[in-house]
Amino acid sequence: MDLLQLITLLLLVSAGISYINQRFIKLPGTIGVVAISVVVSVVIVIIGKTNNDLAAKIKEASDSMDFSRILLDVMLGFLLFASALHFDYQKLRKQRWPVFALSTLGVLLSTLLFGLLLYYFTGLFNINIPLMYCFIFGALISPTDPIAVGSILKHSKISEKLSTVIAGESLFNDAVGLLVFVLLLELVQQPDIAISFSTVAGLLLHEVLGGILIGLATGYVGYKLIKSIKDFQTILLISIALVLGISLLAGYFHASVPLAAVTAGLIIGNNSFHEDKVSDDFLLRIWKLIDEVLNTILFAMIGLQMVAMPFLREYWLLGLSAIVIILVARIISISLPALFLLGKINFNNLFILSWAGLRGGISIAMALSLPDSPYKEGILSGCYFIVLFSIIIQGLSLNRLIGVLKSRED
């Protein structure tokens, strides 16, 4: 299947699923698209069992869709840039310490706790996953997904302060999760390599500082170019070229694409271009539409990935255990930084922060990028269980949880 056929198929399926949801089922956009995609995937798998030719064609289309590369190399920059473009920097600045603590210490603690607990439970059930692979699983599943979180928070009644913390955490913790994931994977693939503090610090500085510098430079250049003109078409082209350029530059210099895209988006989104604000409004509206379209395509892809995972039935026990473990790890990993920063815990906010920590396509993309090993299928299946539970169950019940907790405060 060539690129044009793949794009056409993806758009047709995404449009069809989105239409069915909006016309008949009427679930919140992201949740509805994922739920319908999963049902479609189940139907396809069932039909495929009775029709070998159809199964072969579906397998070919699924193999042509390199989900990991499409998301991490192409879509991630656009989605994070769009999210940061609409993010109020002043609100983020006020909540910078909670956001920093959750996106760094929170991810590291969650990775450690998830890995240890998973290793213990898999041992109880005689499931063989080495401790290092449990930590790798923890690293790829601990970061909350900015795309999933953003799409749910749009329709949430959550307080502005808490919304800023949750959204800010999800914008920045992907970079931390990716760094830990890459480092642990390096240890597994090269067990004899000497990992020193200087090596880790060098990697962090290169990825983090490199990503921020690329974002600052491209964001500033993009802002100056857009400020100098008023033609809407050219403004849109410059912004799209900017995101593509960020992905190319960050990839070339092995810097963090998420941090570069977020930094550039914050610069452009929080500065006015012209006094009449028309260009600002146009750019924000267009990128909001791009964000929503890409979200629909992404979550349709997440649901349809089930077609490529016929081994889910073999790992249901691992998947259910992983759901419970990530919830426990999430609660502890945000409680400890809260105690450290504030000296106390607001339990209502703790529960909301925990339940709003949705996982999405980025975790699946990292799991798919794992090199072949006897443990890849188990990790990928467990990751898929968590993502589906996160988006459908947590996403559907988040507003109800917020309403119940807020009513108890009144």
Side-chain angles (χ1 to χ4, degrees):
M1 183 176 291
D2 61 35
L3 182 61
L4 179 60
Q5 290 175 321
L6 183 61
I7 293 173
T8 302
L9 178 62
L10 198 54
L11 287 173
L12 284 172
V13 171
S14 300
I17 290 172
S18 184
Y19 176 81
I20 291 170
N21 181 51
Q22 294 297 325
R23 181 70 176 82
F24 302 107
I25 301 177
K26 302 184 187 300
L27 284 172
T30 298
I31 301 168
V33 168
V34 173
I36 296 170
S37 300
V38 169
V39 172
V40 170
S41 293
V42 171
V43 172
I44 289 173
V45 170
I46 293 171
I47 294 174
K49 289 182 180 298
T50 59
N51 188 326
N52 291 331
D53 291 336
L54 178 61
K57 290 178 181 178
I58 292 169
K59 185 72 167 59
E60 179 190 350
S62 178
D63 290 341
S64 301
M65 190 190 305
D66 190 341
F67 181 85
S68 181
R69 186 175 179 185
I70 290 172
L71 176 56
L72 294 178
D73 293 349
V74 182
M75 293 180 71
L76 183 59
F78 280 92
L79 290 164
L80 289 176
F81 179 82
S83 298
L85 201 66
H86 295 86
F87 206 95
D88 190 332
Y89 174 74
Q90 295 305 321
K91 292 179 183 177
L92 178 62
R93 189 177 178 183
K94 291 178 182 177
Q95 304 301 327
R96 60 187 180 277
W97 292 117
V99 168
F100 176 77
L102 291 178
S103 60
T104 53
L105 293 176
V107 172
L108 295 174
L109 279 171
S110 178
T111 299
L112 178 64
L113 290 168
F114 182 90
L116 291 172
L117 290 172
L118 184 68
Y119 184 69
Y120 173 75
F121 276 98
T122 52
L124 288 179
F125 298 124
N126 295 318
I127 301 172
N128 179 30
I129 301 181
L131 181 60
M132 190 58 72
Y133 276 92
C134 290
F135 286 138
I136 288 173
F137 192 177
L140 66 87
I141 204 64
S142 289
T144 55
D145 191 285
I147 301 111
V149 170
S151 61
I152 299 298
L153 288 181
K154 288 176 186 175
H155 310 288
S156 173
K157 299 174 182 177
I158 199 169
S159 69
E160 185 179 279
K161 179 180 177 180
L162 205 54
S163 176
T164 301
V165 171
I166 294 169
E169 175 203 3
S170 68
L171 276 177
F172 291 101
N173 64 10
D174 286 321
V176 178
L178 278 166
L179 284 172
V180 177
F181 174 75
V182 169
L183 185 62
L184 291 175
L185 203 55
E186 190 79 14
L187 283 172
V188 167
Q189 292 178 312
Q190 303 181 43
D192 298 329
I193 191 173
I195 299 294
S196 62
F197 175 79
S198 59
T199 304
V200 175
L203 177 65
L204 289 173
L205 280 174
H206 188 89
E207 288 270 350
V208 174
L209 190 59
I212 292 173
L213 288 176
I214 288 172
L216 287 171
T218 54
Y220 179 77
V221 171
Y223 168 72
K224 285 295 185 180
L225 289 173
I226 293 172
K227 187 176 176 64
S228 65
I229 57 173
K230 290 189 177 182
D231 180 68
F232 292 157
Q233 176 182 315
T234 308
I235 288 173
L236 177 60
L237 286 173
I238 289 172
S239 65
I240 293 173
L242 174 68
V243 178
L244 292 172
I246 285 171
S247 297
L248 285 175
L249 282 172
Y252 180 78
F253 290 107
H254 302 289
S256 171
V257 174
L259 281 177
V262 168
T263 303
L266 287 172
I267 289 173
I268 292 178
N270 285 271
N271 286 287
S272 180
F273 301 117
H274 306 108
E275 291 182 3
D276 57 11
K277 303 286 186 182
V278 175
S279 298
D280 304 37
D281 187 57
F282 164 79
L283 191 64
L284 291 175
R285 284 175 179 270
I286 289 293
W287 272 97
K288 183 179 180 182
L289 181 60
I290 292 173
D291 185 29
E292 290 175 351
V293 169
L294 288 179
N295 265 315
T296 300
I297 294 172
L298 171 61
F299 286 106
M301 289 171 67
I302 289 175
L304 293 171
Q305 280 296 303
M306 191 171 180
V307 174
M309 299 183 191
F311 44 79
L312 281 173
R313 64 183 178 275
E314 300 171 16
Y315 297 101
W316 63 270
L317 184 59
L318 173 62
L320 294 177
S321 301
I323 290 171
V324 176
I325 292 170
I326 193 60
L327 291 174
V328 172
R330 171 71 178 172
I331 291 174
I332 298 173
S333 65
I334 62 176
S335 300
L336 293 179
L339 275 172
F340 178 74
L341 285 173
L342 305 174
K344 61 180 180 178
I345 294 179
N346 181 316
F347 286 100
N348 285 350
N349 287 346
L350 172 65
F351 288 132
I352 293 172
L353 271 169
S354 301
W355 204 245
L358 307 183
R359 274 74 185 178
I362 294 172
S363 294
I364 293 177
M366 282 193 278
L368 284 167
S369 71
L370 284 169
D372 291 335
S373 75
Y375 319 109
K376 179 176 179 178
E377 286 191 354
I379 292 173
L380 185 54
S381 297
C383 176
Y384 203 78
F385 271 93
I386 291 173
V387 169
L388 289 184
F389 176 86
S390 171
I391 294 173
I392 296 174
I393 305 301
Q394 290 178 244
L396 275 175
S397 57
L398 178 60
N399 277 338
R400 183 172 298 179
L401 174 67
I402 293 169
V404 170
L405 293 178
K406 292 301 179 184
S407 65
R408 290 181 179 178
E409 289 182 355
D410 298 335

